[in-house]
Each structure stands twice: as C-alpha cells, then as structure tokens.
Amino acid sequence: MSGLGAHSAIRSFSRDPSVAGRRVGAGTWRRIAGYADRYRWRIVVFVALTVASAVLVVVTPLLLQRLVDDGVTEGDRRVVLVLAGLTVVVALVEALVTLVTRWLSARIGEGLIYDLRTEVFDHVQRQPVAFFTRTQTGSLVTRLNNDVIGAQRAFTTVLSGVLSNVVSVVVVVVAMFALSWQITLASLALVPVFLVPARYVGRRLQLLTRESFQLNADLGNRMTERFNVGGALLVRLLGDPRTESRQYGERAGRVRDIGIRIAMANRFFVAALALVAALATALTYGIGGLLAISGGLTIGTLLALAALLGRLYGPLTGLSNVRIDVMTTVVSFERVFEVLDLPPLVRETDDARDLPTGPLEVTFDDVTFAYPGADTVSLASLEQAGAPQTAAGRPVLSGVSFTARPGDKVALVGPSGAGKTTMTALASRLYDVDSGAVRLGGVDVRDATFASLRSSVGVVTQDAHLFHDTIRENLLYAAPGAGEEDLWRALGDAQVAPLVRGLPEGLDTVVGDRGHRLSGGEKQRLAIARLLLRDPGVVVLDEATAHLDSGSEAAVQTALDRTLAGRTALVVAHRLSTVRDADLVLVVEDGRIVERGTHSALAAADGLYARLYRTQLLADLEGEAAAEEELTAGQA
C-alpha cells in the first residue's frame, strides 16, 4: 500500500464509529443533493475521471506481463520498446488525469465551502441579539470552519474515494482472476488478517484523536484568554508569570505526549499493513513461483499478479470503513443545516416600508415584553454543554406607554434591572414586543425596513465597541461613503478631533482590540463621531458616560449635547445630574413606569426619583468633602 493510501486509511479509521448508526432523513439527502446540483457538470466530469483513473491501475501491470512474456522471454526487442513506450504513455495519462481530477476536486470543494460559509454567515447575522448572548462563539466558529470543511468532503474526498476504491477492487480482482484464480483466492483469504490491525489501531486512534482534540482546544482557549487585552491585563495585575508558564507547559506537555502516542499508533498501523502486504506478496511469489516452475504460469503473469496485489489491499481497507466516512460528512451537513434552519426571531416583513427622515416621534403603546427562551432563539449544541433549554421568563416590561415628541430628550432612570435598557432595545428593534407596539414616526417598527431602522436609530452604549482596525475604518463602518471632510467634521463635533490630529498616523491609527489603545472617554467620543456620520433622527444613549472620570465625562457630555441637538433622544442614566435638562423623565421600576415629569417636578415630589436624587446628591457631597480633606492633607 502506498504512503498516501495508508494515510487515508488511518484518517478513516480514526473517525468516530458511532455516526455509522445515525439515521438520516430523506430531507437531508435532498438538501445535500441540492448543493451538488450547483456543480452538476463538474461533478459528472470529476466522477468520470475518477473512474478512469481507477481503471488505469490495472493497465501498467498487464503491460508489464506482455512486456516480459512476449518481449523479454521471446527476445523481441521491438515488443519490449513498444510496450515500454506504452507504459510511459499510460503514466503520463495517469498524471494528467490526476491533475485534472485534483483541479475539479478543488473547484467543487472550495466552491461548496464558499457557498456554505456565506449562507451560514448571512443567516447568523440575521439572528437577534439574544442568540449571541447564549451562543458560545467558539462553537459557532466551528460550524463556519470545521463542519463546513467536513461537509464539502462529501463531494470530493468521500465521493472520489468510494468510487475509486469500488472500481479499483472490481477491476483488480477481475484481472487477477483472469490471470490466476488460485493466487487470487489465496490473496483474498488474507484480507481478514489485513483488516485486524486496522480495526485494532482504528479504535485506539479514535480514543487518542478525541483526547487530542480536547487537549488542543483547552490549550487554544487558554492562549485566547491570556492573549486578549483584558486577559493580558489581568495576568499583569494579579497573575504570576511563572505560574502561568508552568500551567501552560503542563498543558503543552500533555499535547506533546498525546501527539507522540498518535504518531506511534500511526506507525504501528502502517508497519502492520506493510507486514501483511509483504506476507501476501511472499505468498504470491511462492505459489506463483511453483506454478511457473511447473509451467502453469508465466513469469510475466507472476509479476503482473504481484503488481496487482499491491493495488488491491488499499482500496479494500478504505471500503471497509466507507459507511463511517459517508456518515461523518452527512453529520457535518446536518450540523450546518441545524444553524440554517434556526429562524431569526426578528424578521423584516415582505411589505416593510421606510421610516420618515429627520427627528422622529417615539411612542411606546402599552408594551409588554419578556426575553425569549433558549428554545426559540438558540441551539443547545451551540450553548455551553449541559445548558438547559428554557422557555421565556417573566415579563420584563408590563404596560409601558409614553411618547417622546420629535426633538425631545426623554430620560429613563431607575434601579438596575428595572427594564430601562430593554426599552431602548425595543426602540431599535433588537427584539419584538410581546404585546402592544413601538412606533417611530407613527410607523410600527415591525413594519419598518431594517435599513431605515439602522439609518434612523443611533445607539451609544456604556462600552462602545471598536473593531481592531484604524480610526478611519471604524468611522466608515457607519457611513461607507463619507469623505475626509465628513470624518473630520464628525470628529470635531464629538470633541475628539484634536486627539486624532495629534496621533502619528492620524485617521489611520489602529485602535487595537476593542479599542483598548484608547481611553474610555476617547472610545466614547469616537463612538459618538461614528453615530454623527450616520446622522440618525433618534439617538439612544445607554449609560454613555458611565465608568468615566469627571474630565472624560465632561468632554463626552459636551459631545453628547451637540449630538442630541435637533434629534429625538432616549437617555438611560444612573447619574441623575446628567438628565436635569430632559424634557421628560420616566422613572422605571420592576418593568413599569412609576413616575413621569420634569427633573425639577420629580425632585420636589416625595417619590422614587426624589429618593434616588437625594441619595446621589449626598454621595456626591461626601465625595467632594473627602477629596478636599485629601487635598488639604497633601498640602500640609
């Protein structure tokens, strides 16, 4: 058996045999066939060339037989030269067929990978935020990578392997029977002996391979956690580099050890196959030699049988595990289909219409909402192992009604977990309400196009996300057609232009992973500049100044004041001092609006808002007093 054939056999036997008993519905086969139909003619040519390549495996041994018997034995130089030339031609044809087959395999395989990846990516992008809050990112990436690659093998590796092996076994056995039925039967009698080491080592490799995948995954997860900005910072502040290195070394050592065991199992497999093949060859030469001495077999026939024997055991080994190979690729398809079959919870209707332009009225009309359960927004196989499938929880919002007039600033305040952020998520249609309606400019957001929603509603959160890219690209993400002048105008309005001008690379400065090369205030102001480029009619600020020091907060607040001018605003705030100028303050508690009015009216009343305001005012006074004492002590 060739080294390539042995490697294919090892890979086949190392796969999980449990998939062989899995039942596959007719719908799955039809969907797989649908993907094949896209490459129908290429697959037809690919199959034809694969069959032709398999048939060619017997041509060279048969030419060798005639060359020896009719040329060498008879002393006919012309026959020797002609058959030797034909052997060269066959070799060239085999090489050409192999190259064309490989090209077709690559075109079909990579095309299918492209189709599946783009379909999964496009579908996942339409999933609601709840999907991403429950899904493990690594599991999702695996669907886009490993399972997609596993699925494409159905039309390349598995299809060609099965066809090639079946045709090869048939033509080789027929040719061997035609040459000598005695030697053929003796050779086939060794097939069970040939498969014993394969089965034994295969089971061993299955266990080792599974353990290796887990160990490598653990090692990769550890590197990912330690090498992102947050993890690296935590290690620097609280960790011990020597402990980290020791623990990493222990994990890397286990990966090394399992790698050695797998390598030795592979080598044992190859050595066992080579030994059995050698025994079969010795048997062929032994029986054939005796037959040749007695005149029952020619020397050329004996050599042809020995050559054909070398082309028999490899395909037989591959076919012995063909069901596992086929089902492994089908399971990969099913895992991809599982993602594609998860319907997006928030969908655009066929008759959706664009929202009006400019500042929009925001209306909540008797809105009730509960976060959807995992059984409607996610897949158990994409969540943490053992995570239960839960139904929707209790209502987060109940009977919420209010109206923000165009250009008004409406503040949402209240205790943590009251439902403020949920209200802003409904306004931008990250979720759909369970009852009632959310309207922008008089249009129910469920009837609006996604494009107009993205254009009309701009959001700045307390932890603005920036991609690991340049400042320019992060800004252009909101407005791909914006020019240089537009970028600088937005940066100026966001109070961050001087900072960007002072950077060595200016707009082409890379901000780092999640913008960690910038301070919190700088990130927030860049996020505001990005929002200004989109120029939305409704602005949602969800704790946009939280976690900032007083200097950064003042700069961001100045930028926000410019941002909100002429726009309808929903502002979530814990610091009540930032919403004194709000046209309307809504106090939210336990999913309900319990108070509403202006800051001055609510502060004068004896309600929840007044209590929160007095508590914060007292905390601010105590903080100022403590700061003055510290300053006085320092001067003394």
Side-chain angles (χ1 to χ4, degrees), residues 454-476:
R454 288 193 295 268
S455 298
S456 299
V457 182
V459 181
V460 178
T461 62
Q462 60 182 313
D463 185 19
H465 185 87
L466 298 178
F467 293 117
H468 185 70
D469 209 329
T470 64
I471 292 175
R472 182 191 306 276
E473 292 303 320
N474 273 284
L475 293 176
L476 290 176

Side-chain angles (χ1 to χ4, degrees), residues 269-346:
F269 180 81
V270 173
L273 296 187
L275 176 61
V276 175
L279 292 175
T281 303
L283 180 65
T284 299
Y285 279 117
I287 298 175
L290 292 175
L291 290 174
I293 291 173
S294 64
L297 201 69
T298 65
I299 299 298
T301 301
L302 176 59
L303 294 175
L305 284 167
L308 289 170
L309 185 65
R311 291 162 166 78
L312 175 63
Y313 289 135
L316 280 175
T317 305
L319 289 175
S320 68
N321 226 37
V322 66
R323 180 168 176 78
I324 294 177
D325 292 340
V326 171
M327 292 307 300
T328 297
T329 62
V330 172
V331 167
S332 292
F333 262 113
E334 286 185 326
R335 284 165 57 82
V336 173
F337 292 157
E338 186 182 26
V339 176
L340 292 175
D341 290 342
L342 180 66
L345 198 63
V346 178

Side-chain angles (χ1 to χ4, degrees), residues 564-583:
L564 300 182
R567 294 181 171 90
T568 310
L570 298 181
V571 181
V572 176
H574 278 125
R575 297 185 184 181
L576 303 186
S577 59
T578 63
V579 297
R580 291 176 179 174
D581 60 340
D583 298 290

